[in-house]
Amino acid sequence: MGWGRCGAEPRAAPGAATAPAAEGRAGSPAADKGAARRDDSASEGGGMSAADPSPAAGAAPNSDQGRAAVASAYQRFEPRAYLRNNYAPPRGDLSSPDGVGPWKLRCLAQTFATGEVSGHSLIDIGSGPTIYQLLSACSHFEDITMTDFLEVNRQELGLWLREEPGAFDWSGYSQHVCLIEGKGESWREKERQLRARVKRVLHVDVHQPQPLGAGSLAPLPADALVSAFCLEAVSPDLPSFQRALDHITTLLRPGGHLLLIGALEESWYLAGEARLVVVPVCKEEVMEALVRSGYEVRDLRTYVMPACLQTGVDDVKGVFFAWAQKKVGM
């Protein structure tokens, strides 16, 4: 399923340069459990810089002020509302193979099944409050780092990692992944393995040249990166999206792999009281950004959001999945 060419000129997400009316997507520190150390290096959560006050209307959307507005908006992000909107029915209904959930899980499972995306360390960039994106990854990497800009998201991840009461129930996703992988693994064993291999949950800011900060606890460079619904959701414009991709690419070894999932042609979404702006991107712009950041694009798929899943919580038109390999020498 393809998409028409987006406009050649970079477009700012609506409202990105003005004082935010609402908010965005992000996480919190997970406590130590057994041998797995899960650290948190900052008090704010998601994938972008939190600069000061919102800029005045009319400020250039690709300025520091534009990114500050996005960061400020995300401070009202509600993880549970975001999870209800996107990972509970109808979008969280995994019974239909044509649903968006099964499509994302299938893309990930099929890519990891090639055996090419493997190694010692993997970093999940902008994890948000979700873990599904790592269910197929956890059998291929021994050391997994989860990250988010928002403390509330890192806290939400900590509940699940520590198996605390009230944690979001991902068992349906775990069961579905075990089914499509077809290895005879139980969903409880799948979740046990993922919890054991997530060694830390860290603060990340994709708008900084060193997204994990100096002296990061994550093993660098990583063998692979995963990032789902992060870069476009925290960038006020297309140049900021490109720079954020450049920044996270510095965390990846030459020859390493990036699995990138994101929204197509989305300009806003809701997370409780927060209404967050998103830079709209199309398939061709994602492809161009990956090439500019020094990747060979191995696979790029798109999914058109059906009318039954357009529930009023966003204006997303579809989803993309990209498998890209960082070129040697980059």
Coordinates of all heavy atoms in Angstrom, one line a residue, residues 225-297:
L225 N 18.9 -0.6 16.8 CA 18.0 0.3 17.4 C 16.5 0.0 16.9 O 16.3 -0.5 15.8 CB 18.2 1.7 16.9 CG 19.6 2.3 17.1 CD1 19.7 3.7 16.5 CD2 20.0 2.4 18.6
V226 N 15.6 0.2 17.8 CA 14.2 0.1 17.5 C 13.6 1.4 18.0 O 14.0 2.0 19.0 CB 13.5 -1.1 18.3 CG1 12.0 -1.0 18.2 CG2 14.0 -2.4 17.8
S227 N 12.7 2.0 17.2 CA 12.0 3.2 17.6 C 10.6 3.2 17.0 O 10.4 3.0 15.8 CB 12.7 4.4 17.1 OG 12.1 5.6 17.7
A228 N 9.6 3.3 17.8 CA 8.2 3.2 17.4 C 7.4 4.5 17.8 O 7.3 4.8 19.0 CB 7.5 2.0 17.9
F229 N 6.9 5.2 16.8 CA 6.1 6.4 17.0 C 6.7 7.4 17.9 O 6.1 8.0 18.8 CB 4.7 6.0 17.6 CG 4.0 5.0 16.7 CD1 4.0 3.6 17.0 CD2 3.3 5.4 15.6 CE1 3.3 2.7 16.2 CE2 2.6 4.5 14.8 CZ 2.6 3.2 15.1
C230 N 8.0 7.7 17.6 CA 8.7 8.7 18.4 C 9.1 9.9 17.6 O 8.7 11.0 17.9 CB 10.0 8.0 19.1 SG 11.1 9.2 19.9
L231 N 10.0 9.7 16.6 CA 10.6 10.8 16.0 C 9.6 11.8 15.4 O 9.8 13.1 15.6 CB 11.6 10.4 14.9 CG 12.7 9.4 15.3 CD1 13.7 9.2 14.2 CD2 13.4 9.9 16.5
E232 N 8.6 11.3 14.7 CA 7.6 12.3 14.1 C 6.7 12.9 15.1 O 6.2 14.0 14.9 CB 6.8 11.6 13.0 CG 5.7 10.6 13.5 CD 6.2 9.3 14.0 OE1 7.5 9.0 14.0 OE2 5.4 8.4 14.4
A233 N 6.6 12.2 16.3 CA 5.7 12.7 17.3 C 6.3 13.8 18.2 O 5.6 14.4 19.0 CB 5.2 11.6 18.2
V234 N 7.7 13.9 18.1 CA 8.3 14.9 19.0 C 9.1 16.0 18.2 O 9.8 16.8 18.7 CB 9.3 14.2 19.9 CG1 8.6 13.3 20.8 CG2 10.5 13.5 19.2
S235 N 8.8 16.0 16.8 CA 9.5 17.0 16.0 C 8.5 18.0 15.4 O 7.5 17.6 14.9 CB 10.2 16.2 14.8 OG 11.2 15.3 15.3
P236 N 8.8 19.3 15.6 CA 7.9 20.3 15.1 C 7.9 20.5 13.6 O 7.0 21.1 13.0 CB 8.4 21.6 15.8 CG 9.9 21.3 16.0 CD 10.0 19.9 16.3
D237 N 8.9 19.9 12.9 CA 9.0 20.1 11.4 C 9.9 19.0 10.9 O 10.5 18.2 11.6 CB 9.5 21.5 11.0 CG 10.7 21.8 11.8 OD1 11.6 21.0 11.9 OD2 10.8 23.0 12.3
L238 N 9.9 18.9 9.6 CA 10.6 17.8 8.9 C 12.1 18.0 9.1 O 12.8 16.9 9.3 CB 10.3 17.8 7.4 CG 10.7 16.5 6.6 CD1 10.0 15.3 7.3 CD2 10.3 16.6 5.2
P239 N 12.7 19.2 9.1 CA 14.2 19.2 9.4 C 14.5 18.7 10.8 O 15.6 18.1 11.0 CB 14.5 20.7 9.3 CG 13.5 21.2 8.3 CD 12.2 20.4 8.6
S240 N 13.6 19.0 11.8 CA 13.9 18.5 13.1 C 13.8 17.0 13.1 O 14.5 16.3 13.9 CB 12.8 19.1 14.1 OG 13.0 20.4 14.3
F241 N 12.9 16.4 12.4 CA 12.8 14.9 12.2 C 14.1 14.4 11.7 O 14.6 13.4 12.2 CB 11.6 14.6 11.3 CG 11.4 13.1 11.0 CD1 10.6 12.3 11.8 CD2 12.0 12.6 9.9 CE1 10.5 11.0 11.5 CE2 11.8 11.3 9.5 CZ 11.1 10.4 10.4
Q242 N 14.6 15.0 10.7 CA 15.9 14.6 10.1 C 17.0 14.6 11.1 O 17.8 13.7 11.2 CB 16.2 15.4 8.8 CG 17.5 15.0 8.1 CD 17.3 13.7 7.4 OE1 16.6 13.6 6.4 NE2 18.0 12.7 7.8
R243 N 17.1 15.7 11.8 CA 18.2 15.9 12.8 C 18.0 14.8 13.9 O 19.0 14.3 14.3 CB 18.2 17.3 13.3 CG 18.8 18.3 12.4 CD 19.0 19.6 13.1 NE 17.8 20.3 13.6 CZ 17.1 21.1 12.8 NH1 17.4 21.4 11.6 NH2 16.0 21.6 13.3
A244 N 16.8 14.6 14.3 CA 16.6 13.6 15.4 C 17.1 12.2 14.9 O 17.7 11.4 15.6 CB 15.1 13.6 15.8
L245 N 16.8 11.9 13.6 CA 17.2 10.6 13.1 C 18.7 10.6 13.0 O 19.4 9.5 13.3 CB 16.6 10.4 11.7 CG 17.0 9.1 10.9 CD1 16.6 7.9 11.7 CD2 16.3 9.1 9.5
D246 N 19.3 11.7 12.6 CA 20.8 11.8 12.6 C 21.4 11.5 14.0 O 22.4 10.8 14.1 CB 21.3 13.1 12.1 CG 21.0 13.4 10.6 OD1 20.7 12.4 9.9 OD2 21.1 14.6 10.2
H247 N 20.8 12.1 15.0 CA 21.3 12.0 16.4 C 21.2 10.5 16.9 O 22.2 10.0 17.4 CB 20.5 12.9 17.3 CG 20.7 14.3 17.1 ND1 19.8 15.3 17.5 CD2 21.7 15.0 16.4 CE1 20.2 16.5 17.1 NE2 21.4 16.4 16.5
I248 N 20.1 9.9 16.7 CA 20.0 8.5 17.2 C 20.9 7.6 16.4 O 21.4 6.5 16.9 CB 18.5 8.0 17.2 CG1 18.0 7.7 15.8 CG2 17.6 8.9 18.0 CD1 16.6 7.0 15.8
T249 N 21.2 7.9 15.2 CA 22.0 7.1 14.3 C 23.5 7.0 14.9 O 24.2 6.0 14.7 CB 22.0 7.6 12.9 OG1 20.7 7.5 12.4 CG2 23.0 6.7 12.0
T250 N 23.9 8.0 15.6 CA 25.2 8.0 16.2 C 25.3 6.9 17.3 O 26.4 6.6 17.7 CB 25.5 9.4 16.9 OG1 24.7 9.6 18.0 CG2 25.4 10.5 15.9
L251 N 24.2 6.4 17.8 CA 24.2 5.4 18.8 C 24.4 4.0 18.3 O 24.6 3.0 19.0 CB 22.9 5.4 19.6 CG 22.5 6.8 20.3 CD1 21.1 6.7 20.9 CD2 23.6 7.2 21.3
L252 N 24.4 3.9 16.9 CA 24.3 2.6 16.2 C 25.7 2.3 15.6 O 26.3 3.2 14.9 CB 23.2 2.6 15.2 CG 23.0 1.4 14.4 CD1 22.5 0.2 15.3 CD2 21.9 1.6 13.3
R253 N 26.2 1.1 15.7 CA 27.4 0.8 15.0 C 27.3 0.7 13.5 O 26.2 0.4 13.0 CB 28.0 -0.6 15.6 CG 27.1 -1.8 15.2 CD 27.8 -3.1 15.4 NE 27.0 -4.2 15.2 CZ 26.8 -4.8 14.0 NH1 27.4 -4.2 12.9 NH2 26.0 -5.8 13.8
P254 N 28.3 1.0 12.8 CA 28.3 0.8 11.3 C 27.9 -0.7 11.0 O 28.4 -1.6 11.6 CB 29.7 1.1 10.9 CG 30.2 2.0 11.9 CD 29.6 1.5 13.2
G255 N 27.0 -0.9 10.1 CA 26.5 -2.2 9.8 C 25.3 -2.6 10.7 O 24.7 -3.7 10.4
G256 N 25.0 -1.9 11.7 CA 23.9 -2.2 12.6 C 22.6 -1.9 12.0 O 22.5 -1.2 10.9
H257 N 21.5 -2.3 12.6 CA 20.2 -2.2 12.0 C 19.3 -1.3 12.8 O 19.3 -1.3 14.1 CB 19.5 -3.6 11.9 CG 20.3 -4.6 11.1 ND1 20.0 -4.8 9.7 CD2 21.4 -5.4 11.3 CE1 20.8 -5.6 9.2 NE2 21.7 -6.0 10.2
L258 N 18.4 -0.6 12.1 CA 17.4 0.2 12.7 C 16.0 -0.3 12.2 O 15.8 -0.4 11.0 CB 17.5 1.7 12.3 CG 16.3 2.6 12.5 CD1 16.1 2.8 14.0 CD2 16.6 4.0 11.8
L259 N 15.1 -0.5 13.2 CA 13.7 -0.8 12.9 C 12.9 0.3 13.3 O 12.8 0.6 14.5 CB 13.3 -2.1 13.5 CG 14.1 -3.4 13.2 CD1 13.5 -4.6 13.9 CD2 14.3 -3.6 11.7
L260 N 12.3 1.0 12.4 CA 11.6 2.3 12.7 C 10.1 2.1 12.3 O 9.7 1.8 11.2 CB 12.2 3.4 11.8 CG 11.8 4.8 12.1 CD1 12.1 5.3 13.5 CD2 12.4 5.8 11.0
I261 N 9.2 2.4 13.3 CA 7.8 2.4 13.0 C 7.2 3.8 13.3 O 7.7 4.5 14.3 CB 7.1 1.4 13.9 CG1 7.6 0.0 13.7 CG2 5.6 1.4 13.7 CD1 7.1 -1.1 14.6
G262 N 6.3 4.3 12.5 CA 5.8 5.6 12.7 C 4.5 5.9 12.0 O 4.0 5.0 11.3
A263 N 3.9 7.0 12.3 CA 2.6 7.4 11.8 C 2.8 8.1 10.4 O 3.8 8.8 10.2 CB 1.9 8.4 12.7
L264 N 1.9 7.8 9.5 CA 1.9 8.5 8.2 C 0.8 9.5 8.2 O -0.4 9.3 8.5 CB 1.6 7.4 7.1 CG 2.7 6.5 6.8 CD1 2.2 5.4 5.9 CD2 3.9 7.2 6.1
E265 N 1.2 10.7 7.7 CA 0.3 11.8 7.5 C -0.6 12.1 8.7 O -1.8 12.4 8.6 CB -0.7 11.5 6.3 CG 0.1 11.4 5.0 CD 0.7 12.7 4.5 OE1 0.5 13.7 5.1 OE2 1.4 12.7 3.5
E266 N 0.0 12.1 9.9 CA -0.6 12.5 11.1 C -0.2 13.8 11.6 O 1.0 14.2 11.5 CB -0.3 11.4 12.2 CG -1.0 11.7 13.5 CD -0.6 10.7 14.6 OE1 0.6 10.4 14.7 OE2 -1.5 10.2 15.3
S267 N -1.1 14.7 12.0 CA -0.7 16.0 12.5 C -1.0 16.2 14.0 O -0.5 17.2 14.6 CB -1.4 17.1 11.7 OG -2.8 17.1 11.9
W268 N -1.8 15.4 14.6 CA -2.1 15.5 16.0 C -2.6 14.2 16.6 O -3.1 13.3 15.8 CB -3.2 16.6 16.3 CG -4.5 16.3 15.6 CD1 -5.0 16.6 14.4 CD2 -5.6 15.5 16.2 NE1 -6.2 16.1 14.1 CE2 -6.7 15.4 15.2 CE3 -5.8 14.9 17.4 CZ2 -7.9 14.8 15.5 CZ3 -7.0 14.2 17.7 CH2 -8.0 14.2 16.7
Y269 N -2.5 14.0 17.9 CA -3.1 12.9 18.6 C -3.4 13.3 20.0 O -2.8 14.3 20.5 CB -2.3 11.6 18.5 CG -1.0 11.6 19.4 CD1 -1.1 11.0 20.6 CD2 0.2 12.2 18.9 CE1 0.1 11.0 21.4 CE2 1.3 12.2 19.7 CZ 1.2 11.5 21.0 OH 2.4 11.5 21.8
L270 N -4.3 12.5 20.7 CA -4.7 12.8 22.0 C -4.1 11.7 23.0 O -3.9 10.6 22.7 CB -6.2 12.7 22.2 CG -7.0 13.6 21.3 CD1 -8.5 13.4 21.5 CD2 -6.7 15.1 21.6
A271 N -3.7 12.2 24.2 CA -3.3 11.4 25.3 C -3.9 11.9 26.6 O -3.2 12.7 27.3 CB -1.8 11.3 25.4
G272 N -5.2 11.7 26.8 CA -5.9 12.3 27.9 C -6.2 13.7 27.6 O -6.7 14.0 26.5
E273 N -5.8 14.7 28.5 CA -6.1 16.1 28.2 C -5.1 16.7 27.2 O -5.3 17.8 26.7 CB -6.0 16.9 29.5 CG -7.1 16.5 30.5 CD -7.0 17.4 31.8 OE1 -6.1 18.3 31.8 OE2 -7.7 17.2 32.7
A274 N -4.1 15.9 26.9 CA -3.0 16.4 26.0 C -3.5 16.2 24.6 O -3.9 15.1 24.2 CB -1.7 15.7 26.3
R275 N -3.3 17.3 23.8 CA -3.5 17.2 22.3 C -2.1 17.6 21.8 O -1.6 18.7 21.9 CB -4.5 18.2 21.8 CG -4.7 18.1 20.3 CD -5.7 19.2 19.9 NE -5.9 19.2 18.4 CZ -6.8 18.6 17.7 NH1 -7.7 17.8 18.3 NH2 -6.8 18.7 16.4
L276 N -1.5 16.6 21.1 CA -0.1 16.7 20.7 C 0.0 16.9 19.2 O -0.6 16.1 18.5 CB 0.7 15.5 21.2 CG 0.6 15.4 22.7 CD1 0.5 14.0 23.2 CD2 1.7 16.2 23.4
V277 N 0.9 17.8 18.8 CA 1.1 17.9 17.4 C 2.2 17.0 16.9 O 3.1 16.5 17.6 CB 1.6 19.4 17.0 CG1 0.5 20.4 17.4 CG2 2.9 19.7 17.8
V278 N 2.1 16.6 15.6 CA 3.0 15.6 15.0 C 3.4 16.2 13.6 O 2.5 16.8 13.0 CB 2.2 14.2 14.8 CG1 3.2 13.2 14.1 CG2 1.7 13.7 16.1
V279 N 4.6 16.0 13.2 CA 5.0 16.4 11.9 C 4.5 15.4 10.9 O 4.8 14.2 11.0 CB 6.5 16.6 11.7 CG1 7.3 15.4 12.1 CG2 6.8 17.1 10.3
P280 N 3.6 15.7 9.9 CA 3.1 14.7 9.0 C 4.2 14.3 8.0 O 4.9 15.1 7.5 CB 2.0 15.5 8.2 CG 1.7 16.7 9.0 CD 3.0 17.1 9.7
V281 N 4.4 13.0 7.9 CA 5.4 12.5 7.0 C 4.7 11.4 6.1 O 3.8 10.8 6.4 CB 6.6 11.8 7.7 CG1 7.4 12.9 8.5 CG2 6.2 10.7 8.6
C282 N 5.3 11.3 4.9 CA 4.8 10.3 4.0 C 5.9 9.3 3.7 O 7.1 9.4 4.2 CB 4.3 10.8 2.6 SG 5.6 11.6 1.6
K283 N 5.6 8.2 3.0 CA 6.6 7.1 2.8 C 7.8 7.6 2.1 O 8.9 7.2 2.5 CB 5.9 6.0 1.9 CG 6.8 4.9 1.5 CD 6.0 3.9 0.6 CE 6.9 2.8 0.1 NZ 6.2 1.9 -0.8
E284 N 7.7 8.5 1.1 CA 8.8 8.9 0.4 C 9.8 9.8 1.3 O 11.0 9.8 1.2 CB 8.4 9.7 -0.8 CG 7.8 8.9 -1.9 CD 6.4 8.4 -1.6 OE1 5.7 8.9 -0.7 OE2 5.9 7.5 -2.3
E285 N 9.2 10.6 2.2 CA 10.0 11.4 3.1 C 10.7 10.6 4.1 O 11.8 10.9 4.5 CB 9.1 12.4 3.8 CG 8.6 13.5 2.8 CD 7.6 14.4 3.4 OE1 6.8 14.0 4.3 OE2 7.5 15.6 3.0
V286 N 10.1 9.5 4.6 CA 10.8 8.6 5.5 C 12.0 7.9 4.8 O 13.1 7.9 5.3 CB 9.8 7.5 6.0 CG1 10.6 6.4 6.8 CG2 8.7 8.1 6.8
M287 N 11.7 7.5 3.5 CA 12.8 6.9 2.8 C 14.0 7.9 2.6 O 15.1 7.5 2.8 CB 12.3 6.4 1.4 CG 13.3 6.0 0.4 SD 13.9 4.3 0.7 CE 12.6 3.3 0.0
E288 N 13.6 9.1 2.2 CA 14.7 10.1 1.9 C 15.4 10.4 3.2 O 16.7 10.6 3.2 CB 14.0 11.4 1.4 CG 15.0 12.5 1.0 CD 14.3 13.7 0.4 OE1 13.1 13.6 0.2 OE2 15.1 14.7 0.2
A289 N 14.7 10.5 4.3 CA 15.4 10.8 5.6 C 16.4 9.7 6.0 O 17.5 10.0 6.4 CB 14.4 11.0 6.7
L290 N 16.0 8.4 5.8 CA 16.9 7.3 6.1 C 18.1 7.3 5.2 O 19.2 7.1 5.7 CB 16.1 6.0 6.0 CG 15.1 5.7 7.0 CD1 14.2 4.6 6.6 CD2 15.7 5.4 8.4
V291 N 18.0 7.6 4.0 CA 19.1 7.6 3.1 C 20.0 8.8 3.5 O 21.3 8.6 3.5 CB 18.6 7.8 1.6 CG1 19.8 8.0 0.7 CG2 17.9 6.5 1.2
R292 N 19.5 9.9 3.8 CA 20.3 11.1 4.2 C 21.1 10.8 5.5 O 22.2 11.3 5.7 CB 19.4 12.3 4.4 CG 19.0 13.0 3.1 CD 18.2 14.2 3.4 NE 17.9 14.9 2.2 CZ 17.2 16.1 2.1 NH1 16.9 16.7 3.3 NH2 17.0 16.7 1.0
S293 N 20.5 10.0 6.3 CA 21.2 9.6 7.6 C 22.2 8.5 7.4 O 22.8 8.1 8.4 CB 20.2 9.3 8.7 OG 19.5 10.4 9.1
G294 N 22.4 8.0 6.2 CA 23.4 7.0 6.0 C 23.0 5.6 6.0 O 23.8 4.7 6.3
Y295 N 21.7 5.3 5.8 CA 21.2 4.0 5.8 C 20.9 3.4 4.4 O 20.6 4.1 3.5 CB 19.9 3.9 6.6 CG 20.0 4.2 8.0 CD1 19.8 5.4 8.6 CD2 20.2 3.1 8.9 CE1 19.8 5.7 9.9 CE2 20.3 3.3 10.3 CZ 20.1 4.6 10.8 OH 20.2 4.8 12.1
E296 N 21.1 2.1 4.3 CA 20.5 1.3 3.2 C 19.2 0.8 3.6 O 19.1 0.1 4.7 CB 21.4 0.2 2.8 CG 20.8 -0.7 1.7 CD 21.6 -2.0 1.6 OE1 22.6 -2.2 2.2 OE2 21.0 -2.9 0.8
V297 N 18.1 1.2 2.9 CA 16.8 0.8 3.3 C 16.5 -0.7 2.8 O 16.5 -0.9 1.6 CB 15.7 1.7 2.8 CG1 14.3 1.2 3.2 CG2 15.9 3.1 3.3

